[in-house]
Amino acid sequence: MIWDTIFFIILPYIAFSLAIAVGIYRSIYRPFTVTSLSSQLLERKKLYWGSISFHYGLVTILLAHLYALTLPKSVLWWNSVPIRLYLLELTGLALGIFAFVGICILLWRRFSEKRVQAVTTPMDIVVLVLVFISILTGILIASLYRFGSSWFTVIFTPYILSMFAFKPNVGLVAPLPWLIKLHVINFFIMVAVFPFSRLIHIFTYPFQYLYRPWQIVIWNRKVKSAKKLSSAQGK
Amino acid sequence: MNVRAHMSMIFHLDKCIGCHTCSIACKNLWTDRKGAEYMWWNNVETRPGTGYPTQWEDQERFKGGWVWDGKKLNLRLHSRLGGLMKLFYNPPLPKIDDYYDPFTFQYSDLFNAPLGDDQPTAIPISQITGEPMEIKTGPNWDDDLGGSSTYAWNDPNLSQLPESVRIQMQELEQIVFNYLPRICNHCLNPACLAACPSGAIYKRVEDGVVLVNENKCRSWRMCIAACPYKKVYFNWSTGKSEKCILCFPRLETGQATACAHSCVGRIRYLGVLLYDADLLPQTAMVSDEQLIEAHRSVILDPFDPEVIASARANGIEDSWITSAQDSPAYKFVKLWGLALPLHPEYRTIPMMFYIPPLSPIVSVIEEDLYRLDVSDEMRDFELFDRLDKARIPIKYLANLFSAGNESAIRPIIRKMLATRIYMRHKSVDGVIDDKTLALLNDAGTNPEEVEAIYKLTTMPNYKEAFVIPEYHRETAIEAWDDPLAHKGDTGFGFIQPPHRGG
């Protein structure tokens, strides 16, 4: 099918190329624009309920997707006992609903608060809508096409691997129901939008804060001599 | 010994008239931009009062500064891991209403109003939303004790005062206030810097200015809560933190900061202090009573040969060492011991210093007549022996400037009073009697010192008040860039205007 080729071969390649190329370009040449664009100063009540549930729900689920993609066998092993399968599926669904509530509150906040509207760009709306579709379709898939944690690993892990090997195997995803296809296509669009939007803040999560020294001091004058010194020492 | 230099400012509160000229100069120069309307890098507060942002000293709520538990110095705001967990929502962050909703007026209404019998008015509109609004508060809403019942008597510094003193302060006859101008303290142990997850804030070692690298700022906004003085602001439009830069572009070209330069009361002094970086942050790891002493011990004597040798070894130019020797900051802080840091108990080791204000004596009312509570023969020595009669309670000043330690305030007030009494006798009577000399001795000073204090307090010229060394900015620029390579460039700064996000 031509559409499958467009959506599951061409689109992802373009999306990921954009994400990597533009993401790196923006980080290096437009660092000022790389920010999470917090609006907590302007509105905090709705943000409290929206942001926390959204972020914690979605980050956990994203990590779970990533885990299932990289280590599919361990997921299948876990699911081999029914009670463990139910536990995993229920946890996933609960987190999905948690994130869904969050994104709904964030959408509501975006449209109802005048102060938030003052700092809203069209791209903010695009991002919110994409994330909304993503979570909604995710929840529907989890409840309609059971059990995702098992079939996901046998379909998408090989598919992703085939993409990485540049020998895309569309046959794996072609027979899937349209809802699941929508979920995946929506994800690829998000990847494409990622470097052009505030989503880029995901990759600036400051893990270095855990080990950097408390205080940072910069010698302007000493930079030159320090550079010479370190190159002389071969550092 | 690891000697570094610091540009420091002295605020002589006894001279501050609360005119806000400094705030306006700063605002016009730096924060007259979208997203920065509500920021006042320099602001002047009436004390007692709740300040700007409202109740910024309430660290139970805003979690600013450091806490010393006897072993370690920890941020009050978060642990490292805790900080990362709270990125999505940061409860102690002040909201815009804690500052104020920035407003302007719809001036076009004055021109566009239809012909009528009434004068057209320009309605207030919010600078954030552009919608009409009712102005409910502003950056100095409680100026000169306006609305005291809501503002002044909620001053966190009054909380430790005895009830009787608080009541006394509220009586109209006893009422007194002073002004507190505030800028970023450019601390030696800045909490904003330590709290920044991205590591975007840094301290420039050459002169100690604390700066935000907006290219590295990721809008995690921890600095805003972590600064106990609430002097890091969040630009709601660009989504980046901003703060006082101590007018470094002015300092680098030999000019005083805009706030100091424009000061009408000439309360501000600028000068270099040399300090020992090896003592950091241990200086902040002492009990509240020892804080002032420890803070002073970090600041070094620029005449000490050992200090000079160590400074040179650290690459501090001779012009800076000479500047440190002439520095009014060194004189007021270390030599005369008159200037104190604001709220040392936050343990950020602030490097801007305040000379506490003198106040009139408490008067009493007898048979509906005012009477000073001193005898005639004592009038000359009015407050000197009875500091507790000062209208601004010593304890209140101690809560502001010495972590509640009154013994740090008393010698300062006594020395200032001694200076006043000595100079009055000298200029009015023409002679200094033994009693006055004894009083000087009592205040731990001598005629020479007192005359020097008097001169620098009352009539310093520009070069005496602002001792700004040569910055040699060119060496710093050369360190980063080859100037010749940029000779054909259009200029420097933003390649693109700072739009919100991408």
Side-chain angles (χ1 to χ4, degrees), chain A residues 44 56 205 209 212 215 221, chain B residues 80 84 91 93 196 206:
Chain A
R44 50 188 287 153
Y56 276 105
Y205 194 79
Y209 186 58
R212 81 158 166 85
Q215 300 297 353
R221 279 185 226 127
Chain B
R80 287 171 190 265
L84 291 193
L93 180 80
C196 175
E206 278 76 7

Side-chain angles (χ1 to χ4, degrees), chain A residues 206 208-209 212, chain B residues 78 83-84 87 194-200 220-223:
Chain A
Q208 74 274 14
Y209 186 58
R212 81 158 166 85
Chain B
H78 60 219
L84 291 193
L87 284 188
C196 175
S198 326
W220 304 130
R221 72 222 173 275
M222 295 293 163
C223 51

Side-chain angles (χ1 to χ4, degrees), chain B residues 378 381-388 414 417 439 442:
Chain B
M378 276 296 293
F381 299 91
E382 37 185 46
L383 262 171
F384 192 78
D385 290 322
R386 336 158 115 228
L387 290 186
D388 296 316
R414 281 161 73 90
L417 283 171
L439 182 134
D442 208 18

Side-chain angles (χ1 to χ4, degrees), chain B residues 248-295:
Chain B
F248 73 81
R250 288 177 62 90
L251 290 177
E252 284 170 5
T253 48
Q255 306 168 80
T257 63
C259 52
H261 196 124
S262 64
C263 181
V264 172
R266 299 190 187 183
I267 75 155
R268 302 199 190 209
Y269 300 82
L270 276 167
V272 175
L273 289 175
L274 299 182
Y275 66 97
D276 187 354
D278 279 347
L279 296 178
L280 302 173
Q282 286 79 357
T283 304
M285 297 161 83
V286 293
S287 67
D288 279 1
E289 295 74 43
Q290 297 165 304
L291 271 173
I292 293 293
E293 205 183 319
H295 196 148

